[in-house]
Amino acid sequence: MPLFSDSFIERVRAASDVVDVIGASLPLKRAGANFVTLCPFHKEKSPSFNVNPGKQIFHCFGCHKGGNVFRFVMDYENLTFPEAVQRLAERAHIPLEFEDNPAAQQVRGLKDSLLKLHEAICVRWQNCLANEAAGQIARDYLVRRDVSPEAVKEFRIGAAPDSWDDTVNWAKSKGFPLDLCEQAGLIVKKEDTGRQYDRFRGRLMFPICDEQGRVIAFSGRVLQGDEKTAKYVNSPETPIFTKGRVLYALDKAKRAILDVGHAVVCEGQLDTIACHSAGLKHVVAPQGTALTPDHARIIKRYVDEVVLCFDGDKAGRNASIRSFDGLLGSGLAVRVASVPAPDDPDSYIKAHGAETFRGILNRAEGYFDFLLKHLSLENDTTTDRGRMTVVRAMGEAVNKTGNAVLLDTYAQKTAQRLSVNVDSVRTEFRKARLNAAPVPASADEPPLTEPDESEPLPRPPVAELWLLKLLLHSPDNSHFVAERLDPSWVTHPTVKQIAAVHFSLGTDVAGLISHFEGDEFARSLITECASEQRAIPEPEKQLADVVLRLRNTAFDAALARLNAKLADSSLPESEHLAALAEQTRLRAEKRKPLEPLGEA
């Protein structure tokens, strides 16, 4: 991940108005000095999502999510903090600046160059499809496949001319170095002659985008050629593209995936485009590979369930089975939607309509029910060999979950399906456990840890909540409060941390939130207190009253502890006398008025 300096981050934040950024994604309505809308992070019928332009923050009074402009982009787009900074910098047309790390700058520079090259060639191929004679074959193909002009535009489909040097000549004319084009996989160099030629020739071009919608690779479908010609040619892996970590159309599907609550995974680009065109926007596809653990972890960032919807033939069923191991380690619930053979999602939607296909998705069965049915079809269950094959395969698959409930459930279902004794199936499942290899994690996957059993932090006391509200609404009084407030008087740890940062840095609310980027509870507390919409009369007087109340509450608690200590008859005389002296001191302190604000 890129490392940005604090000054650069602050510059990006200052250039990114929270109302403009949120308003580009949500329909904001003016409500007094603020704006409101329905919260994108939970279901609601009346708007409780509040955007405060003065403090440059948002807060939902329903689900309590809140933060500054970076946090909104992170949560809404499901990005990391550096990715959110980069997204907003690009939006504000601020050149990226990284901390002084030559190696990181070099890598970032190469990636930026590759991104610019991919965007430019994407536009070039879009223009070829739309306007050039070389794109006629591709245009005719799209008409035959009933791909609408709207889908062509949305997915930025293009056409690569059937020429050995079109991209080579284009790159030269646009000033892109040929060695950069070679690194991008757009051109290939012959080993024996050193001649460079186009990788994509005479193909329908599907741009592959990252989660931010930036073009990072291509998949080219052949339009004419002999049987030896590969149906699809894909970009090789590059510094910006790793096929096992990219899901086609995720940039367009992620909001719908969050809204629907699960992701549908199809087999290819045309299936995915057909689904999106039919209004099923929560559909993605792996990029020329089976689903990997990295794919599963990407999906898991959004939802907890995935529906596999591959072709209806035997190859499609086998693809669903191959995908299981990649999904298992992520903790995703897996269902399988079976499209009747010989259709695939694209042809089925065109033949039967979107609603009928939606019904297939809604009726998707659990993965192990699908597997049991598939194994029973593939094996002759009237024979001993066929039954044993089914039992062994089911046992090995279910054992990979390590879930005792699933093991017992599918031992019963398998026994019922095969008309055999369930205890015998359980015995075979136990034998299969020895053969069930654990699902490997990827190299960059952190080790599993026990879940955090700690209780969530309670709400702060009312007086401490009002301390934060008054401090954030009357920042000019902060230094007076800091001189009078003993930190020990504040009992809630998060309130104490927020107040300490506020006193030491004197930053605005949006800047304060940046210091608690990894603490969702603190962010929510800050935005809740800063979003207080009631008028606060005489804030200086109320601050003094709150500080006095916190002081007296702390003194009362200390006096109660001393009283309990003095009631102990076994207390040594020296400690008894010390406790009495402290009791007298605290009572005298409590009788003193607090020095008014403004008179320090």
Side-chain angles (χ1 to χ4, degrees), residues 98-148:
F98 305 97
E99 289 188 337
D100 188 16
N101 184 331
Q105 290 178 1
Q106 184 176 5
V107 171
R108 186 67 254 171
L110 174 59
K111 290 183 176 180
D112 287 342
S113 297
L114 288 170
L115 288 170
K116 291 176 183 176
L117 172 60
H118 279 79
E119 174 61 27
I121 192 66
C122 179
V123 172
R124 186 270 173 283
W125 284 333
Q126 282 182 284
N127 183 64
C128 177
L129 176 64
N131 303 311
E132 297 180 16
Q136 187 61 51
I137 297 174
R139 291 193 290 271
D140 294 341
Y141 176 83
L142 290 170
V143 170
R144 289 197 304 275
R145 294 298 298 261
D146 197 22
V147 179
S148 69

Side-chain angles (χ1 to χ4, degrees), residues 203-269:
R203 290 180 180 268
L204 188 68
M205 299 305 298
F206 298 94
I208 311 302
C209 298
D210 62 12
E211 289 179 62
Q212 299 178 48
R214 301 175 301 184
V215 181
I216 57 173
F218 293 94
S219 179
R221 192 196 192 284
V222 69
L223 294 170
Q224 59 184 3
D226 56 35
E227 294 181 357
K228 296 180 180 180
T229 304
K231 187 175 181 180
Y232 280 92
V233 169
N234 299 319
S235 293
E237 296 197 350
T238 70
I240 60 172
F241 173 60
T242 303
K243 65 180 181 180
R245 296 181 180 178
V246 176
L247 288 164
Y248 180 70
L250 181 59
D251 58 309
K252 300 171 182 63
K254 55 189 178 183
R255 285 309 310 172
I257 288 171
L258 287 168
D259 292 340
V260 175
H262 65 268
V264 175
V265 178
C266 287
E267 204 163 348
Q269 288 96 4

Side-chain angles (χ1 to χ4, degrees), residues 15 44 90 149 189 418 461 521 568 573 596:
E44 61 178 5
E90 292 168 350
K189 181 186 289 186
L418 301 178
F521 184 85
D568 184 0
E573 184 177 1

Side-chain angles (χ1 to χ4, degrees), residues 460-461 464-465 467-468 490 492-500 521 525:
E464 296 184 16
L465 270 178
L467 173 68
L468 285 184
V490 180
H492 196 281
T494 303
V495 175
K496 187 177 294 187
Q497 289 177 332
I498 294 171
F521 184 85
L525 207 56

Side-chain angles (χ1 to χ4, degrees), residues 374-396:
H374 171 76
L375 291 170
S376 299
L377 288 173
E378 292 297 309
N379 296 278
D380 184 357
T381 57
T382 63
T383 66
D384 292 340
R385 179 179 179 181
R387 287 192 293 270
M388 282 305 303
T389 299
V390 173
V391 171
R392 189 180 303 111
M394 283 297 298
E396 290 176 355

